[in-house]
Amino acid sequence: MNNYETLLASLGGISVLMFFFSIICLSWFIAKIPEDYFVAETKKKSAWAHLGSFYKFSILIIKNILGLVLFVGGLMMLLLPGQGLLTILAGLILMDYPKKFQLERKLIAIPSVFSTMNWIRRKSNKRPLRPPQ
């Protein structure tokens, strides 16, 4: 019986951490998304273009690991307390993979996701996201 208590306590602790992470960090992340991000697939100049290839590769690895953590956390938040769909979307935005833009547009086309993201942006005094065309 002790193993189940430990497992339940661990899941409860992870749930609380993910809940606070989603409230604090996810709001900041959504506010940083450019308002035209979902409108057109354009090559934007990277903020890291001036760095050497080792640094760019390191940042790419860290960004993808963070995106994967957010994605997995979002999947868990579908069952546990937290902003599951928004966390999944944040993870997908961070990661690099084939057909990324098309998948992001499908997710943002969900009315509840789109309205929640714009609600968070309003609270952050940011202009609303433009809907995908």
Side-chain angles (χ1 to χ4, degrees):
M1 211 50 162
N2 195 12
N3 288 338
Y4 292 120
E5 292 173 0
T6 304
L7 177 64
L8 286 175
S10 298
L11 285 175
I14 290 170
S15 175
V16 169
L17 287 174
M18 284 192 290
F19 178 74
F20 285 114
F21 175 79
S22 69
I23 290 173
I24 297 168
C25 297
L26 200 55
S27 299
W28 174 83
F29 181 75
I30 290 171
K32 293 293 184 185
I33 298 173
E35 68 183 74
D36 63 344
Y37 182 83
F38 299 103
V39 174
E41 186 173 9
T42 58
K43 291 284 184 183
K44 296 177 175 90
K45 186 177 178 184
S46 172
W48 307 305
H50 66 283
L51 297 176
S53 60
F54 173 77
Y55 293 112
K56 282 194 261 187
F57 183 72
S58 299
I59 289 170
L60 179 69
I61 296 295
I62 292 168
K63 188 175 77 119
N64 280 311
I65 289 172
L66 179 61
L68 184 61
V69 168
L70 286 173
F71 180 78
V72 171
L75 290 175
M76 292 172 65
M77 283 184 230
L78 291 175
L79 301 173
L80 302 169
Q83 300 289 333
L85 287 177
L86 292 178
T87 307
I88 290 171
L89 184 61
L92 291 174
I93 289 172
L94 276 177
M95 291 188 293
D96 292 315
Y97 51 90
K99 303 286 186 183
K100 172 183 175 178
F101 187 70
Q102 290 83 358
L103 179 61
E104 290 171 346
R105 286 177 59 136
K106 284 182 183 178
L107 287 174
I108 199 68
I110 299 170
S112 61
V113 173
F114 188 72
S115 63
T116 302
M117 289 184 74
N118 279 329
W119 179 80
I120 291 171
R121 290 177 64 83
R122 271 194 308 277
K123 295 290 183 185
S124 301
N125 294 321
K126 299 288 184 177
R127 294 169 52 118
L129 294 169
R130 290 195 277 167
Q133 299 169 343

